[in-house]
Amino acid sequence: MMTSDLFGELRNRRWVRSLTMLVCLLSCLPGCSRQFWRRQADMDSYDVIEERQCDDRWYLPRINIEPDPRSRFYDPYALDKGPLPPDDPAAHEYMHHVSTWIPGYKSWHEFGQAFSVENPQWYDSFEMVPVKHVYREYAASGADESGTIHLASYTDDATAEDGTGEPAEDGENADASTGAGDDDAEEGEIDGINPENVYVRPEIQNMTLQQAIELSQIHSRDYQTQIENVFLDALDLTLDRFQFDVRYLPLPGIGLDHSMDGNGQNSGLGMNAVGGIRQALPAGGEWAVQLANNTLWLFSGDNQTSTSSLLSYSIVQPLMQGAGRKVVLASLTQQERNLLYGVRLLARFRQTFFNGVVSSYLGLLQTRQGIINTQNNITQTETQLERSRVLESMLPPDVSEPLDVLPEGVVIPPELAPKVSYNDVSGLLRISRTITDAEIGQLRLLSDDAAFQKAINDIIDNLNAVTNTLTIVQLETQLANSRNGLLSAEVGYQNALDSYKLQLGLPPDMVLTLDESFLAPFQLIDNRLFALERDVNDFVMVSGALDETDPSLANLRDVSQRLRDLITQVKEEGMDLVLRDKQRFLQVQDHILADKDPEDKARLLFDLDRDQRILTSTQQDLEEIERVWQLLDEHLADDMLPQNQRQVEARVIADLREDLLKVTQNLQVILVGIRVEMIELNPFDMDLEEAIEYAIENRLDLMNARAAVMDARRAVEVAANQLEAVLDVVVEGDIGTPAGTRPFDFRAMRSTFRTGLQFTTPVNQISQRNAYRASLIAYQRARRAYMLAEDSVKIQVRADWRQLKVQKKNFELRRRAIRSSAIQYDITAGEVLAQAQGGGQGGGQQNLGLNLLNALNNLLESQNAFIGIWVNYERNRLNFYQDIGMMEIDSQGVWDDAYYQNWLRTGTPVISTTSTPSTPQGARRVLPNDLHGRENENADDRQPPVERSGIVLASRQTEQRKTEIAPQGLEENRQPVGDRSGLGGAGGAVRPSARMDVP
């Protein structure tokens, strides 16, 4: 009988049709989908992890391994059937052609090709800025069946394809892409930049500590890896638990065999079905039940059917080796404990992770403050260098040359008037030493008169005649070294900033700056005082413009009024600034004094008394300056003021300027004293023995180390059991059916029953012996390892505790050093100023220059050391609480400490006594997404991002970009990414609550 006739006959038989339906049904069950098994693994793993959340000390707000949708490594496509990632073109060839004669798999790209390895929308929450001279390149996207990869363009709100396969010109709008609307830019340029050389980067300006912590929670690869490690431990545990569930026997299934003789007359169809279950028991026993059926249909002769079944069962119970719960449950017990260890390690990692993010952030701010201090030091050095040059050369602030008459039509421009003047009476042309080359060039263009040009040339020659004494050389050397040091510091800061980006999980080419509000209290000398000092110094150019021999009354009155404005500015901006800070200090003075030990308290009272004397003296000096100016103004009101009196008033103006400069310097000293006392360390007051005791009981890694000793001891018992003989009780049997047409007609007469003991003598146990002896050694090692771990914890805590005490004392010493350095600089600058007023020079002046150099260096070193000690103290405080295990991290990844909770709540770091920290906030639980309620397994299982409380890192919201895959991909497998705007707390939604049914 031919095969076609055979199946035609089969279709005409009712019982065969039923069998055919059964076969079709079975053919649809080759296995559940990959999506189903992934969800099953997720739910089982989350369940066992949740069981470990039984203690607040290792409570995990987030246990979901799915990254935040805003993360760089979030996968926006379907997890189970996502598109292929970008590949290396040369290596990709081997996927389609394994060798020259073996073709590869043809359907690699049935799900499409992704354009990028990272999430293409991760930067949607950031401001985007163009960067010049960098080519924006997006990698290959697709490959055809031959394996050739085609480049594809990535499009977003700023780019669009023009139909040629190449990106259109970037621009903020349609007009900008063609250059329309910008008269100054060339056609096709944006803000004067060729779009072909523009790369758009994400930007964060003034990143706060809150933003840094939040970004680290979203983008840190290390954090994600730690969460996945816990999940992998949970997967191992679910497998060990499954070993004690009722399980299917290996290789259950159904087989169909068709047989036919050579002439086609005798043919038949046979089916062999085997199925069964078994279960391992906690005491070591195991039972199993198996049903086997064999059915044969003959399609010749009488078309007979023959079927028979056999039901088998067995029970095996070890009595010696492999018996007992301590041995049988050893692996499951270890996996249960391993998951607990993993949860604790993740909780411990969250502490060290917060510590690392904050410590690095503070370190960057410390480096930044050092740069600011160096910049201020360079400004002060430049000022003192200019003073020293004038003093050492004994040259007046300006140079004059005779000029009979100013060329006809020449008028000194207003912008040159402060530095250039001509006296008609004396016939002198005066030029200030501060004039620049550009201003000299502007002056030369006023006239081609030979006498005018000769006077200018003679003045320039005199200006260049400056004697470089040892003091000037030393200051110049110091200035050059400071500038070189500043450049190195700035490079180091940028390198450290790039490393910090990597620590947060951000790309190093991201544009990032830090919020520097933390540094405000460490700005001991307000920039307004520096500006006042510069204004007073620059006033010398105004007063120097006066004719020393015969100053005109109009010029005197003009300079006097400018001096009056400067005095008012010093009083209203400088003195009022100091008085306001003084008032703020008085409000917290009692609190500051109460926190000092007797020695520091006595020192502070002495310094406060000295500050008050300096302040009172400075106020009196300023009042005297105002009084003298009033007399000056009254004298200048006389229109008939004689020449000799005008000369006296000119000298009075010069003296008032020098007195005013001294006042500004005194205000700086007073302000340093006030502000340095208002900076406080975060409180720390814990007994050393109490801290050690707490650490021994609460350090999570130490708990794991303690438990590891028990693991090693349990392993000894398991190894010892392998030395015993094998003695098993075996009970087994089977029940069969007679041959015929009734597959479930089991008969007692066709059954068998067997029972007995199986014994194996432990003769050759060398391997087991060695394993047992090794387990004893491992146990002793574990004991010693725990002792070492406990001693190491004690050493860490003791070292941290001592260091905190030392740093607290050093901090007070640095206060005194800054005060002393500020006073030293003020005294030295005053002596230099006195020398300038007295016209002194020589060796004594060179000593003053050296003293001035030392004062500048001491002030810079003291300022850098002061913030350095504060940062190191805070880092050590973080280490201390981390080392004793007293660092509870909330759901936002922040230490539940009043200082940091207040910093993140208000956005203002409190390092002074002017405000009170807030109460720590509570934790918020974040658990995995709900994986239930999906009817279609092949539908997109990626959840759109939910709205979360938190900060927004961008000042604008970008339009949603397209996430494309190559044309070869199936349309139904392209997964939408959804909106990624905003940046809030890391986490997910609701934990799965029930197991899915098998489809």
Side-chain angles (χ1 to χ4, degrees):
M1 181 183 295
M2 299 302 294
T3 304
S4 59
D5 296 334
L6 170 64
F7 284 100
E9 182 180 358
L10 288 175
R11 284 194 295 269
N12 293 327
R13 302 184 179 229
R14 182 179 302 174
W15 63 272
V16 174
R17 288 200 300 269
S18 300
L19 179 61
T20 303
M21 293 179 61
L22 176 61
V23 172
C24 292
L25 177 63
L26 294 176
S27 66
C28 295
L29 298 176
C32 295
S33 68
R34 62 181 77 175
Q35 185 182 56
F36 166 78
W37 288 117
R38 173 176 56 81
R39 290 177 175 177
Q40 287 290 317
D42 287 353
M43 287 184 294
D44 286 348
S45 299
Y46 290 139
D47 283 340
V48 296
I49 295 175
E50 181 64 18
E51 292 175 6
R52 298 302 181 276
Q53 307 295 292
C54 56
D55 194 305
D56 289 340
R57 290 174 294 180
W58 53 83
Y59 183 84
L60 300 177
R62 175 193 168 194
I63 60 176
N64 188 6
I65 63 170
E66 284 294 306
D68 190 286
R70 295 157 296 179
S71 173
R72 286 183 67 195
F73 45 78
Y74 175 78
D75 189 352
Y77 307 104
L79 287 178
D80 305 296
K81 296 182 180 181
L84 298 181
D87 194 8
D88 173 68
H92 193 78
E93 293 289 340
Y94 295 102
M95 293 176 59
H96 297 273
H97 300 281
V98 179
S99 67
T100 56
W101 58 278
I102 302 179
Y105 179 60
K106 294 183 178 180
S107 300
W108 276 116
H109 299 278
E110 62 176 330
F111 299 120
Q113 182 81 22
F115 286 82
S116 174
V117 174
E118 68 180 15
N119 178 11
Q121 292 190 353
W122 75 270
Y123 49 76
D124 279 356
S125 295
F126 303 97
E127 187 76 24
M128 305 301 295
V129 295
V131 181
K132 297 181 183 180
H133 309 307
V134 179
Y135 176 67
R136 187 181 188 185
E137 185 177 42
Y138 284 91
S141 64
D144 57 22
E145 293 184 357
S146 66
T148 303
I149 293 181
H150 301 284
L151 294 179
S153 301
Y154 181 89
T155 60
D156 56 19
D157 59 320
T159 62
E161 293 190 8
D162 57 6
T164 63
E166 297 296 331
E169 295 172 335
D170 292 347
E172 296 181 357
N173 50 54
D175 293 337
S177 64
T178 61
D182 189 353
D183 296 335
D184 297 331
E186 297 182 4
E187 183 178 358
E189 291 192 352
I190 308 169
D191 296 331
I193 305 174
N194 190 334
E196 295 181 357
N197 297 328
V198 172
Y199 171 55
V200 180
R201 293 179 182 172
E203 175 188 48
I204 304 178
Q205 293 291 347
N206 302 322
M207 183 181 70
T208 64
L209 179 61
Q210 179 186 12
Q211 291 173 317
I213 294 174
E214 193 168 7
L215 284 168
S216 68
Q217 299 286 312
I218 294 173
H219 299 287
S220 172
R221 291 174 282 266
D222 292 338
Y223 193 12
Q224 181 67 21
T225 300
Q226 293 296 326
I227 295 177
E228 292 169 347
N229 287 341
V230 175
F231 188 85
L232 293 176
D233 289 337
L235 284 178
D236 293 339
L237 175 57
T238 59
L239 177 60
D240 273 62
R241 285 188 176 184
F242 175 72
Q243 302 303 320
F244 293 93
D245 289 342
V246 176
R247 297 173 292 156
Y248 292 108
L249 287 172
L251 303 178
I254 299 175
L256 292 176
D257 297 310
H258 177 245
S259 61
M260 182 183 302
D261 60 11
N263 56 18
Q265 297 299 318
N266 297 317
S267 64
L269 179 66
M271 180 180 71
N272 298 308
V274 181
I277 57 176
R278 68 177 179 179
Q279 182 181 21
L281 302 176
E286 183 179 39
W287 62 266
V289 176
Q290 178 175 301
L291 174 63
N293 174 265
N294 180 269
T295 302
L296 178 64
W297 294 273
L298 299 176
F299 304 118
S300 60
D302 296 333
N303 293 332
Q304 298 177 354
T305 300
S306 175
T307 180
S308 62
S309 300
L310 182 66
L311 180 64
S312 303
Y313 60 89
S314 66
I315 301 175
V316 179
Q317 175 60 56
L319 298 180
M320 298 181 68
Q321 187 181 121
R325 292 176 180 266
K326 73 174 180 180
V327 176
V328 178
L329 298 179
S331 177
L332 177 60
T333 302
Q334 189 61 54
Q335 292 298 339
E336 297 277 1
R337 292 164 69 94
N338 286 345
L339 180 58
L340 176 62
Y341 302 160
V343 169
R344 285 174 176 169
L345 289 177
L346 178 56
R348 174 72 177 169
F349 174 82
R350 296 181 75 237
Q351 297 175 358
T352 59
F353 186 68
F354 170 81
N355 190 349
V357 171
V358 175
S359 295
S360 298
Y361 188 88
L362 293 177
L364 286 170
L365 290 176
Q366 176 187 348
T367 303
R368 178 61 185 148
Q369 183 61 47
I371 292 175
I372 295 174
N373 292 338
T374 303
Q375 290 171 340
N376 293 335
N377 181 267
I378 289 175
T379 300
Q380 292 171 315
T381 303
E382 290 173 339
T383 300
Q384 297 301 329
L385 178 59
E386 184 61 29
R387 290 178 182 175
S388 296
R389 282 173 174 167
V390 173
L391 182 61
E392 289 291 341
S393 62
M394 293 304 296
L395 294 175
D398 50 36
V399 177
S400 60
E401 283 293 329
L403 182 63
D404 293 338
V405 63
L406 198 63
E408 183 178 357
V410 173
V411 178
I412 305 299
E415 60 270 20
L416 295 181
K419 300 181 180 181
V420 179
S421 64
Y422 178 74
N423 192 304
D424 296 334
V425 178
S426 61
L428 292 177
L429 177 65
R430 292 181 179 274
I431 298 180
S432 172
R433 292 186 176 277
T434 59
I435 195 168
T436 64
D437 292 340
E439 291 170 335
I440 290 175
Q442 184 181 356
L443 182 62
R444 291 184 184 275
L445 295 176
L446 295 179
S447 175
D448 293 334
D449 182 77
F452 181 73
Q453 292 293 333
K454 180 179 183 303
I456 294 176
N457 291 333
D458 292 342
I459 291 176
I460 297 304
D461 292 338
N462 291 331
L463 289 176
N464 293 331
V466 178
T467 304
N468 288 321
T469 63
L470 178 61
T471 301
I472 294 177
V473 171
Q474 289 173 332
L475 287 174
E476 288 178 339
T477 302
Q478 171 67 18
L479 183 60
N481 292 337
S482 297
R483 287 172 175 167
N484 290 336
L486 178 62
L487 292 176
S488 299
E490 289 174 341
V491 170
Y493 175 73
Q494 293 300 325
N495 291 338
L497 193 61
D498 286 346
S499 298
Y500 192 58
K501 297 174 192 175
L502 189 64
Q503 182 179 354
L504 299 181
L506 302 174
D509 58 351
M510 185 175 188
V511 181
L512 177 66
T513 61
L514 299 184
D515 174 34
E516 297 181 4
S517 59
F518 171 87
L519 301 176
F522 293 99
Q523 190 67 29
L524 301 180
I525 302 177
D526 197 282
N527 288 329
R528 286 169 287 183
L529 290 185
F530 282 125
L532 284 176
E533 184 180 13
R534 287 193 298 268
D535 291 342
V536 175
N537 278 323
D538 293 343
F539 184 75
V540 71
M541 295 183 296
V542 178
S543 60
L546 293 173
D547 188 348
E548 296 180 356
T549 59
D550 188 15
S552 67
L553 187 60
N555 288 342
L556 285 173
R557 288 173 177 174
D558 179 64
V559 173
S560 175
Q561 289 303 317
R562 294 191 184 186
L563 178 60
R564 173 58 185 173
D565 295 339
L566 194 58
I567 294 173
T568 302
Q569 186 179 0
V570 171
K571 181 177 181 180
E572 293 181 353
E573 296 183 12
M575 182 61 71
D576 289 352
L577 172 64
V578 172
L579 292 178
R580 285 195 302 270
D581 276 34
K582 179 70 173 179
Q583 185 61 34
R584 290 172 54 229
F585 176 77
L586 292 177
Q587 295 175 358
V588 294
Q589 178 177 342
D590 293 340
H591 169 74
I592 293 176
L593 289 172
D595 193 45
K596 305 289 185 183
D597 57 33
E599 180 182 357
D600 292 332
K601 183 177 181 180
R603 189 271 311 166
L604 177 56
L605 290 174
F606 174 81
D607 290 339
L608 293 177
D609 183 64
R610 181 180 57 190
D611 290 344
Q612 184 59 47
R613 292 197 305 269
I614 297 175
L615 178 59
T616 301
S617 175
T618 303
Q619 288 176 312
Q620 292 173 353
D621 291 343
L622 189 57
E623 292 173 356
E624 179 64 17
I625 292 173
E626 288 183 307
R627 187 189 67 80
V628 173
W629 183 87
Q630 290 290 345
L631 294 176
L632 172 67
D633 189 58
E634 293 175 1
H635 294 163
L636 295 179
D638 185 3
D639 294 335
M640 305 302 295
L641 194 66
Q643 178 182 0
N644 61 342
Q645 188 63 34
R646 292 199 303 271
Q647 293 175 345
V648 172
E649 302 305 337
R651 289 193 293 270
V652 169
I653 291 175
D655 292 341
L656 287 179
R657 177 257 176 190
E658 302 299 338
D659 293 339
L660 197 59
L661 181 60
K662 183 178 180 181
V663 167
T664 60
Q665 292 174 344
N666 286 342
L667 291 177
Q668 293 178 12
V669 174
I670 299 169
L671 191 62
V672 168
I674 294 174
R675 290 190 172 182
V676 78
E677 296 296 345
M678 295 184 67
I679 299 177
E680 285 193 326
L681 298 171
N682 284 316
F684 165 76
D685 186 14
M686 179 177 288
D687 181 72
L688 177 58
E689 297 303 323
E690 177 188 357
I692 293 176
E693 181 179 355
Y694 189 92
I696 297 302
E697 294 297 325
N698 293 277
R699 272 281 292 263
L700 300 179
D701 54 342
L702 194 59
M703 295 179 186
N704 289 352
R706 187 183 303 119
V709 180
M710 179 57 72
D711 291 338
R713 182 61 183 85
R714 290 173 40 253
V716 171
E717 296 300 316
V718 175
N721 179 262
Q722 298 300 309
L723 298 173
E724 299 179 1
V726 176
L727 179 61
D728 298 339
V729 176
V730 179
V731 177
E732 58 185 12
D734 50 62
I735 304 176
T737 63
T741 60
R742 303 174 66 181
F744 300 104
D745 185 17
F746 294 101
R747 304 289 181 87
M749 64 176 50
R750 301 188 66 86
S751 64
T752 60
F753 177 79
R754 299 174 297 277
T755 183
L757 294 175
Q758 293 181 354
F759 178 77
T760 301
T761 304
V763 177
N764 187 4
Q765 297 285 79
I766 301 301
S767 175
Q768 291 81 354
R769 178 204 68 182
N770 292 349
Y772 171 69
R773 191 65 184 93
S775 68
L776 290 174
I777 295 175
Y779 171 60
Q780 297 301 325
R781 288 183 174 182
R783 293 177 62 242
R784 296 196 302 271
Y786 173 73
M787 296 176 195
L788 176 61
E790 184 175 303
D791 291 343
S792 298
V793 169
K794 292 179 180 179
I795 290 176
Q796 288 176 345
V797 174
R798 293 166 70 88
D800 293 341
W801 188 88
R802 294 189 186 111
Q803 192 66 18
L804 282 171
K805 295 296 183 180
V806 171
Q807 288 171 334
K808 186 175 182 180
K809 187 64 178 177
N810 287 341
F811 192 69
E812 297 301 325
L813 295 176
R814 280 298 169 183
R815 290 187 203 268
R816 304 168 79 177
I818 284 184
R819 281 179 166 273
S820 300
S821 298
I823 294 174
Q824 178 187 4
Y825 173 70
D826 179 60
I827 292 175
T828 307
E831 291 175 348
V832 172
L833 186 60
Q835 284 280 1
Q837 291 175 317
Q841 60 178 341
Q845 179 58 29
Q846 291 182 5
N847 291 334
L848 283 178
L850 293 176
N851 293 340
L852 183 62
L853 187 63
N854 293 332
L856 286 169
N857 291 334
N858 290 339
L859 183 59
L860 176 62
E861 190 273 335
S862 297
Q863 288 177 312
N864 291 339
F866 186 66
I867 187 175
I869 290 180
W870 195 99
V871 170
N872 290 335
Y873 171 89
E874 186 58 26
R875 284 174 166 177
N876 202 53
R877 190 175 77 98
L878 288 167
N879 292 336
F880 176 82
Y881 283 101
Q882 172 190 300
D883 289 342
I884 67 174
M886 192 184 289
M887 181 178 278
E888 182 178 351
I889 308 298
D890 66 15
S891 61
Q892 304 302 318
V894 183
W895 180 20
D896 198 7
D897 175 73
Y899 173 70
Y900 291 100
Q901 292 291 336
N902 180 75
W903 187 348
L904 270 64
R905 181 179 62 85
T906 63
T908 303
V910 181
I911 57 176
S912 65
T913 56
T914 57
S915 58
T916 303
S918 65
T919 304
Q921 300 174 349
R924 177 175 63 84
R925 194 74 189 279
V926 182
L927 295 173
N929 295 325
D930 184 9
L931 299 177
H932 302 287
R934 305 295 180 86
E935 296 181 358
N936 185 5
E937 282 189 357
N938 294 324
D940 179 23
D941 61 348
R942 310 299 277 168
Q943 298 294 325
V946 297
E947 293 294 332
R948 297 176 174 87
S949 60
I951 56 177
V952 178
L953 292 183
S955 59
R956 65 178 178 89
Q957 298 296 328
T958 58
E959 296 181 5
Q960 180 175 341
R961 291 174 169 80
K962 299 178 182 178
T963 304
E964 297 185 355
I965 53 181
Q968 291 85 352
L970 300 179
E971 186 67 29
E972 58 270 23
N973 289 312
R974 298 188 181 186
Q975 308 300 330
V977 182
D979 185 19
R980 299 288 186 268
S981 60
L983 183 63
V990 182
R991 186 181 69 84
S993 57
R995 184 188 302 270
M996 291 183 59
D997 295 330
V998 177

